[in-house]
Amino acid sequence: MKTDQAPPAVVPVSGAVRPPFEQVADVFARTVARQRGGGAALCIYQDGEAVVDLVGGAYETDSLQQVFSVSKGIVAIAAAIAHAEGLIDLDAPVAQYWPEFRRASTEKITARMILGHRAGLSAVADPLTLDDLLAGGLDAAVVRQEPYWEPGTAHGYAAFTFGALMNGVFTHAAGEDVASFVQRRVAGPLGAEFWFGAPTDQLARLVPVEFGEPVLTPAQAQGFSDPSFIPDGSFVEIHADIAGFFNNPAVVQAGWPAMSGVSSARDLARIFAAAIGDVDGTRLLDGAAVAQMTETQSIGPDRMLGYETHFGSGIELAHTHLPLLGDRSFGHQGAGGSLVCADAERGISMAFTTNLSPAVVGVSDQALLLLAALRHCLTHSA
């Protein structure tokens, strides 16, 4: 029987995929369709080579994306390099080289505690305006903040203060800020595009983030209403207008190591591939450094997020809300939905970016589906 009805539209996806990852590519196309708008990208490296490199939806082949707390995973790699090269002793008290921490409440804090979200400085009491943040007010607030718990005895996700603290560690111990170290020792040697804040000459490639109305899970709502909840003064303006805040041109170009990373799935996957193996003659970390970075620093109830989290030294390890590629893997999610991860034993890295922020802050459902598809592919193609 003939019909004049037009066939359904084809999901706009372009790029390359190698066997045996064709089904992962099809799952990516399905996730792009499920987003119902916006753009997305997926890149997978295996044994130092790109085996999946796809963009879909509103993305161009060279689109850049704000990746929010995926930035912390890049800081973690930079810190591991600096530690291995003797530039920063992550296990020494920061008070040895950072004078403002030479007081009784903070003198035992180490950079490893900061990386593992155990320093007790996961928030600042001072309410900070956008002008304050852009002028470096968080850097000043975090050094005068008294810890919310005895450092090393509990953990709580330092969403914003992580960057100010680690920037201070690098500046005082290594003599350069995180951004310049990452360009010199991480992104530069790989020819990878990653910046803390979008460079002016790259703004035309940056895809704006789209935010819907945020929602809380019952567990989050209960945690935020608990008397022990710790409000963060650095988030005052973010909570007031998240879309307006993060799409503000000044914020897009701000150099905040905790959340201002700008990159692509292609370049994030390349960096994490070089953290676990050789990529075109460059390897960022040896096996011992990877093992140290992925050793559990914090696991269990999170004082800031209200659910259980699992951290190594600056990176997330597998937990219920983010299973990654299994117990051997590591990575980091971003509030806008993006994700990067790697599994050293399998020689695999994966990055997913999107400009459609999920309703519940954190990794997108699309990324979780892709993680499951990749795990299945790796298990059944071995």
Side-chain angles (χ1 to χ4, degrees), residues 43-46 269-270 272-273 276 341-343 347-351 374:
C43 187
I44 299 170
Y45 268 69
Q46 184 178 44
R270 183 174 179 84
F272 266 62
I276 61 172
C341 65
D343 185 324
I348 286 282
S349 69
M350 167 189 152
L374 180 55

Side-chain angles (χ1 to χ4, degrees), residues 189-328:
L190 290 165
E193 294 187 313
F194 180 93
W195 302 275
F196 290 112
T200 301
D201 61 355
Q202 302 298 328
L203 286 174
R205 297 168 57 197
L206 187 67
V207 183
V209 184
E210 297 180 23
F211 294 90
E213 191 68 26
V215 298
L216 300 176
T217 67
Q220 287 175 319
Q222 181 178 354
F224 293 156
S225 63
D226 190 282
S228 65
F229 171 68
I230 302 169
D232 188 352
S234 67
F235 268 72
V236 171
E237 294 218 10
I238 297 175
H239 289 315
D241 180 8
I242 186 169
F245 183 91
F246 283 114
N247 285 315
N248 184 317
V251 170
V252 167
Q253 295 196 269
W256 297 327
M259 62 174 69
S260 67
V262 172
S263 190
S264 67
R266 180 181 301 121
D267 292 294
L268 291 168
R270 183 174 179 84
I271 290 171
F272 266 62
I276 61 172
D278 185 274
V279 176
D280 294 335
T282 296
R283 178 163 185 168
L284 298 176
L285 301 172
D286 63 20
V290 172
Q292 191 171 56
M293 184 177 69
T294 57
E295 182 179 353
T296 294
Q297 300 299 318
S298 304
I299 188 169
D302 190 297
R303 289 285 304 272
M304 299 299 293
L305 297 179
Y307 56 84
E308 293 192 1
T309 53
H310 188 189
F311 294 102
S313 293
I315 45 81
E316 287 187 271
L317 304 178
H319 56 91
T320 303
H321 290 78
L322 186 64
L324 297 172
L325 294 172
D327 291 341
R328 301 173 296 185

Side-chain angles (χ1 to χ4, degrees), residues 4-318:
D4 294 330
Q5 185 175 359
V10 178
V11 181
V13 172
S14 62
V17 58
R18 297 184 191 177
F21 299 99
E22 296 93 341
Q23 291 303 304
V24 178
D26 190 64
V27 173
F28 172 72
R30 291 168 182 264
T31 66
V32 172
R34 288 190 177 106
Q35 283 194 172
R36 295 187 178 278
L42 172 68
C43 187
I44 299 170
Y45 268 69
Q46 184 178 44
D47 298 329
E49 295 186 355
V51 293
V52 175
D53 187 3
L54 301 169
V55 298
Y59 271 12
E60 302 293 338
T61 56
D62 66 343
S63 290
L64 295 173
Q65 187 63 61
Q66 292 169 272
V67 294
F68 301 97
S69 287
V70 168
S71 308
K72 295 181 175 74
I74 304 300
V75 175
I77 292 172
I81 294 171
H83 181 76
E85 294 181 351
L87 297 173
I88 301 173
D89 183 350
L90 298 180
D91 300 301
V94 299
Q96 290 184 5
Y97 49 83
W98 196 344
E100 287 87 346
F101 280 82
R102 293 172 190 162
R103 59 186 196 271
S105 60
T106 58
E107 63 184 2
K108 294 181 180 179
I109 292 174
T110 66
R112 186 87 63 191
M113 289 181 189
I114 295 169
L115 289 166
H117 303 274
R118 302 184 64 79
L121 297 174
S122 295
V124 291
D126 299 341
L128 301 174
T129 67
L130 175 57
D131 287 342
D132 292 333
L133 294 171
L134 293 173
L138 181 58
D139 300 299
V142 78
V143 296
R144 63 176 178 262
Q145 178 66 49
E146 287 299 304
Y148 284 93
W149 59 83
E150 182 181 348
T153 64
H155 78 280
Y157 183 58
F160 209 158
T161 59
F162 176 98
L165 289 164
M166 287 308 300
N167 211 38
V169 166
F170 270 83
T171 300
H172 288 86
E176 63 181 317
D177 62 22
V178 174
S180 60
F181 187 91
V182 165
Q183 288 304 310
R184 185 174 64 83
R185 292 291 288 107
V186 179
L190 290 165
E193 294 187 313
F194 180 93
W195 302 275
F196 290 112
T200 301
D201 61 355
Q202 302 298 328
L203 286 174
R205 297 168 57 197
L206 187 67
V207 183
V209 184
E210 297 180 23
F211 294 90
E213 191 68 26
V215 298
L216 300 176
T217 67
Q220 287 175 319
Q222 181 178 354
F224 293 156
S225 63
D226 190 282
S228 65
F229 171 68
I230 302 169
D232 188 352
S234 67
F235 268 72
V236 171
E237 294 218 10
I238 297 175
H239 289 315
D241 180 8
I242 186 169
F245 183 91
F246 283 114
N247 285 315
N248 184 317
V251 170
V252 167
Q253 295 196 269
W256 297 327
M259 62 174 69
S260 67
V262 172
S263 190
S264 67
R266 180 181 301 121
D267 292 294
L268 291 168
R270 183 174 179 84
I271 290 171
F272 266 62
I276 61 172
D278 185 274
V279 176
D280 294 335
T282 296
R283 178 163 185 168
L284 298 176
L285 301 172
D286 63 20
V290 172
Q292 191 171 56
M293 184 177 69
T294 57
E295 182 179 353
T296 294
Q297 300 299 318
S298 304
I299 188 169
D302 190 297
R303 289 285 304 272
M304 299 299 293
L305 297 179
Y307 56 84
E308 293 192 1
T309 53
H310 188 189
F311 294 102
S313 293
I315 45 81
E316 287 187 271
L317 304 178

Side-chain angles (χ1 to χ4, degrees), residues 70 268 322 324 332-334 337-341 350-352 363 367 371:
V70 168
L268 291 168
L322 186 64
L324 297 172
H332 217 289
Q333 62 184 306
S338 299
L339 168 78
V340 66
C341 65
M350 167 189 152
F352 171 82
V363 66
L371 284 171

